[in-house]
Amino acid sequence: MSLVSCEPFQLVGRYADRNRWEKLNGPGDSRVTGQQVLDDEGVRGKWADKVVLITGVSAGIGIKTFEAMAATGATVFG
């Protein structure tokens, strides 16, 4: 299997170029982080009136998702 972006599965949007298969090199590569998305969207500390439920927070992407949602100021349950 080739790790090259192919039609019809082209990424679109603000972070498309940074998330292409050709640029994925593991931790610390060019991919956007949840914290960067929060900053770009201007929601850091602004969700104090929201409640977020996340399943699977004991490992993998769930941990980082929990951290990002907590940074919004929301009440987060995992």
Side-chain angles (χ1 to χ4, degrees):
M1 179 173 109
S2 174
L3 294 180
V4 176
S5 298
C6 298
E7 294 289 345
F9 302 106
Q10 288 295 313
L11 298 171
V12 295
R14 183 187 311 192
Y15 306 114
D17 190 56
R18 293 175 64 182
N19 289 293
R20 295 175 59 84
W21 283 112
E22 301 87 20
K23 296 184 177 183
L24 304 183
N25 292 315
D29 63 12
S30 69
R31 285 175 286 184
V32 68
T33 66
Q35 301 295 334
Q36 290 169 324
V37 172
L38 295 180
D39 292 336
D40 291 348
E41 296 299 322
V43 295
R44 186 179 297 275
K46 295 185 178 177
W47 284 7
D49 61 335
K50 309 275 189 237
V51 176
V52 178
L53 172 64
I54 304 170
T55 61
V57 298
S58 62
I61 195 170
I63 297 168
K64 291 299 182 183
T65 302
F66 189 95
E67 291 171 354
M69 291 296 97
T72 67
T75 301
V76 184
F77 294 97

